[in-house]
Amino acid sequence: MCAALVAPQCMSASGHDDSTQEKKINPKEIIFEHLGDGYGWEVPFSHDLRIPLPVIVRDYEGKWHCFSSRRIQHGEEYDGFKLGGKDSKWHNKIVGERPVNVDGKTVMEEYRPWDLSITKNVLALFISVIIVMWMILKVASWYRKAGYKAPRKFTGAIEALIEFVYRGVVKPTLGEKAPRFAPYLLTVFFFILVMNLLGLIVIFPGGANLTGNIAVTLVLSLITFLIVNIFGTKHYWKDIFWPDVPLWLKFPIPIMPIIEIFGVFTKPAALTVRLFANMMGGHIIVIVLTLLIFILAVLGPMVTGMATFVSVIFSIFMLLIDVLVSFIQAYVFTMLSTLFISLSQEEGHKSEEHEHGGELKIEKSK
């Protein structure tokens, strides 16, 4: 489905003669443009048209500016702001100019303003949140109206997914503490699943590569990190700073405590990179397969026809695989988050030993 976004740009380049085609098609630029964020939403089958989004920036004087991204889409400058060019260190980001004093002379310097714009990724996050809320509230509304009667169709599918995650992952791992953490774990599962699936759809409201953006996956991992460490038990923290290992591994050189503290931060890092790399990789493969059609066009119509057939077949196959991967990655993130939370909820064996010791004393006194 990424082909609809990649093809127009390549077609505009391939419209020239073969001697300039290699200069016009830049695979790296195309890949990062379609996988990155933007101030407009691409329209399928047209590289020049974009759905404008609101731009909200604060300049160096403290004044706020709000305007449509349509005004700066094609390199134009509006209200003192424009998109950074290829030579700018803020490429494709909104920049402005401000006067600075250099050797007694006033020169204009490019700077990055405070940017609170509703970009494509920000709007896609809002859309994903609305869809998840609608899905869950639809199930809740059914049970309020129909009692314990089993739902059907789309509502039944959502309810089956909730049961699958809760009964298959959350409840067996967390036990009696499952109701406490299930709302977060189920929310993060559906949130990631919706973001993954929307990223595979080429038309609005799809097309935003949210889980292929490491900032999004990092925030989700940090939420799990905070839950693990804020609600961690005393036994959890005792095992980190004073683990049950031989004394020489803890004192005078705290080898094991350092390893345990390091492990506290590697867990969210693993969650971040796992989700980001898998989803980003799937999108890159589809785009590269599409680009092969236009890169090999210089070799003649026969090679182009064969490359087109192979690329389309493999692109469709990879998109079908990505649908499965979208579910698997949401499931794996939820499962690992559940496991990390479960490890932080261990109470130790002191209470059990105390109870067993009390029972032995009672039997002896009898």
Side-chain angles (χ1 to χ4, degrees):
M1 295 182 183
C2 297
L5 298 178
V6 177
Q9 185 172 356
C10 296
M11 288 289 288
S12 62
S14 59
H16 301 279
D17 56 88
D18 295 344
S19 61
T20 61
Q21 184 176 14
E22 185 177 355
K23 297 180 180 179
K24 292 292 183 180
I25 297 179
N26 187 339
K28 179 181 177 181
E29 181 180 349
I30 293 173
I31 289 172
F32 281 98
E33 178 180 354
H34 289 289
L35 293 181
D37 200 0
Y39 293 93
W41 206 299
E42 295 89 351
V43 176
F45 309 108
S46 175
H47 182 68
D48 295 327
L49 295 177
R50 292 171 181 260
I51 300 174
L53 299 174
V55 175
I56 306 170
V57 290
R58 181 177 183 268
D59 62 19
Y60 68 96
E61 294 179 340
K63 298 178 181 179
W64 288 95
H65 303 260
C66 183
F67 52 89
S68 171
S69 63
R70 188 194 302 272
R71 300 181 179 277
I72 57 171
Q73 277 184 0
H74 303 289
E76 296 92 345
E77 182 175 334
Y78 179 79
D79 214 4
F81 299 98
K82 62 180 180 178
L83 289 178
K86 295 181 179 180
D87 298 332
S88 173
K89 60 180 178 179
W90 295 295
H91 179 51
N92 279 338
K93 300 292 184 181
I94 291 182
V95 296
E97 290 187 342
R98 61 185 175 186
V100 293
N101 193 341
V102 179
D103 298 330
K105 298 180 179 179
T106 300
V107 297
M108 300 304 293
E109 176 191 54
E110 193 175 73
Y111 77 102
R112 182 87 167 93
W114 285 18
D115 193 351
L116 300 180
S117 305
I118 307 298
T119 62
K120 181 175 71 173
N121 283 352
V122 173
L123 181 58
L125 280 172
F126 292 156
I127 294 172
S128 299
V129 170
I130 293 172
I131 292 175
V132 171
M133 291 177 63
W134 172 74
M135 290 165 57
I136 303 304
L137 292 177
K138 189 175 180 64
V139 177
S141 176
W142 170 270
Y143 279 107
R144 279 198 302 268
K145 295 177 181 179
Y148 290 100
K149 185 179 178 181
R152 296 181 180 181
K153 299 181 180 179
F154 181 76
T155 307
I158 300 302
E159 196 266 349
L161 277 177
I162 294 173
E163 285 290 313
F164 173 73
V165 175
Y166 184 76
R167 303 293 181 186
V169 178
V170 180
K171 182 66 175 179
T173 306
L174 291 173
E176 60 183 18
K177 294 187 178 181
R180 185 182 185 186
F181 299 101
Y184 164 70
L185 295 169
L186 288 170
T187 300
V188 79
F189 170 79
F190 281 101
F191 189 50
I192 294 174
L193 180 61
V194 169
M195 288 192 296
N196 289 346
L197 294 178
L198 284 178
L200 301 178
I201 302 174
V202 66
I203 60 175
F204 182 85
N209 184 32
L210 287 177
T211 47
N213 187 324
I214 198 167
V216 175
T217 60
L218 176 61
V219 170
L220 293 174
S221 301
L222 285 176
I223 296 174
T224 297
F225 171 78
L226 292 175
I227 292 175
V228 167
N229 292 282
I230 291 175
F231 296 101
T233 61
K234 294 180 180 179
H235 180 76
Y236 166 75
W237 289 107
K238 182 258 180 188
D239 279 347
I240 291 176
F241 293 104
W242 198 257
D244 189 14
V245 295
L247 184 62
W248 62 273
L249 289 174
K250 301 180 288 187
F251 183 83
I253 302 176
I255 299 175
M256 286 305 298
I258 291 175
I259 294 175
E260 292 291 340
I261 293 173
F262 183 74
V264 170
F265 296 97
T266 56
K267 291 174 183 176
L271 286 175
T272 301
V273 176
R274 181 188 297 273
L275 180 58
F276 160 74
N278 281 281
M279 299 313 300
M280 172 69 83
H283 286 276
I284 289 178
I285 290 173
V286 175
I287 295 176
V288 169
L289 289 172
T290 305
L291 286 173
L292 285 177
I293 300 172
F294 304 96
I295 293 174
L296 298 177
V298 295
L299 300 180
M302 183 175 294
V303 176
T304 303
M306 294 177 60
T308 301
F309 176 77
V310 174
S311 296
V312 169
I313 294 298
F314 274 96
S315 296
I316 294 174
F317 173 74
M318 284 305 304
L319 283 170
L320 294 176
I321 293 296
D322 278 344
V323 173
L324 178 62
V325 170
S326 297
F327 175 82
I328 292 175
Q329 290 304 315
Y331 179 82
V332 169
F333 190 98
T334 305
M335 181 181 64
L336 291 177
S337 297
T338 306
L339 181 61
F340 296 155
I341 293 173
S342 174
L343 292 175
S344 70
Q345 296 301 305
E346 292 183 357
E347 298 290 349
H349 305 285
K350 291 183 178 181
S351 59
E352 295 179 4
E353 292 174 357
H354 177 74
E355 291 177 2
H356 290 310
E359 292 175 1
L360 289 175
K361 289 180 180 178
I362 292 172
E363 289 179 0
K364 288 180 180 180
S365 64
K366 290 181 178 179

